[in-house]
Amino acid sequence: ETRFWRVEQSELYKPAGVIAPKLPLYHPYHPFTNVTNGYDLPQVPLATKFDNYTDVAPHHLLDMVSAINPTEVQTFFVVQSLPYLPGIPVIARYQYGVFPDAKSEMKGFQSIWAQGIVFDHKSEAISKLPPTKIKIYESTKNELSPTILCGNTMKLDVVENLKGRGVWSLVVSSENGEVGDDGLFINKCRVFVGYTHFLA
């Protein structure tokens, strides 16, 4: 069962049976292969958004977004599965959030710059996923997934190191990818701060 509060369902991969929120997610480049059995799909049983990130986000990320207008920050909480075999890389799939108007069928492609700052609350380690141009585009290879996600970069970790854990993420998108002195995009389109828990 999937429960979304204050967040809509993304159209991306919807024809293939994926029920995903319009929020940043993490899963392998090919979400339908290397699964633990032939019927598994990435699941998001819980997703919600909050009004104020300052009440919930760790100070490590708060310091980075202190100069951003709070009304421009989308604060989220996501619980998702990783039904994949050990050793499979899990990468940032921020397309669900930064392309909120994406359709399950499209012509051509859309692209945008994205970056992620990931904070592990347990180890207090910060990982900076480099600014990367990510895409969604039309595919004729799979009738169930006519719009697919592009960009096999921004690796977070492998499946077995993430299951049962959670990470905080600061996700920023930009049209031109120009980075300022603070390491974040100067011209920001969308900003997300949130916690993602990976089911064991």
Side-chain angles (χ1 to χ4, degrees):
E1 184 179 0
T2 295
R3 294 184 179 181
F4 294 169
W5 279 280
R6 305 177 68 184
V7 60
E8 297 178 342
Q9 180 182 347
S10 172
E11 293 289 318
L12 295 171
Y13 289 140
K14 184 177 179 180
V18 175
I19 302 175
K22 293 182 178 182
L23 294 170
L25 296 178
Y26 297 93
H27 63 64
Y29 179 66
H30 295 291
F32 312 117
T33 61
N34 297 306
V35 294
T36 50
N37 69 60
Y39 301 98
D40 279 342
L41 290 171
Q43 302 289 330
V44 183
L46 178 62
T48 188
K49 290 200 293 188
F50 301 96
D51 289 327
N52 194 336
Y53 67 88
T54 59
D55 294 335
V56 295
H59 70 85
H60 303 76
L61 299 183
L62 288 178
D63 293 343
M64 297 181 186
V65 297
S66 60
I68 301 175
N69 187 330
T71 61
E72 298 177 359
V73 180
Q74 299 184 56
T75 308
F76 68 90
F77 175 75
V78 164
V79 176
Q80 67 161 96
S81 68
L82 292 173
Y84 304 99
L85 299 172
I88 301 301
V90 175
I91 63 177
R93 302 318 258 160
Y94 296 154
Q95 287 93 330
Y96 298 100
V98 300
F99 293 110
D101 299 323
K103 302 299 182 183
S104 58
E105 296 187 38
M106 64 178 296
K107 298 295 183 182
F109 71 93
Q110 296 180 46
S111 64
I112 199 167
W113 286 89
Q115 64 180 154
I117 313 293
V118 180
F119 173 68
D120 186 316
H121 208 71
K122 185 176 181 180
S123 67
E124 295 196 349
I126 292 179
S127 302
K128 295 184 178 181
L129 306 182
T132 303
K133 182 171 280 190
I134 59 176
K135 299 179 181 179
I136 55 174
Y137 71 96
E138 173 189 15
S139 174
T140 59
K141 297 179 180 179
N142 189 337
E143 292 182 358
L144 288 179
S145 301
T147 299
I148 63 176
L149 315 187
C150 182
N152 192 10
T153 55
M154 304 181 81
K155 179 182 175 182
L156 182 62
D157 209 329
V158 293
V159 169
E160 62 269 30
N161 291 342
L162 293 172
K163 284 188 173 183
R165 290 178 47 208
V167 295
W168 284 92
S169 303
L170 166 61
V171 178
V172 185
S173 66
S174 173
E175 292 291 350
N176 58 26
E178 184 179 359
V179 176
D181 294 337
D182 61 357
L184 299 179
F185 293 134
I186 296 175
N187 298 308
K188 303 171 181 63
C189 293
R190 289 182 173 84
V191 182
F192 299 85
V193 174
Y195 185 81
T196 303
H197 177 75
F198 303 103
L199 294 170

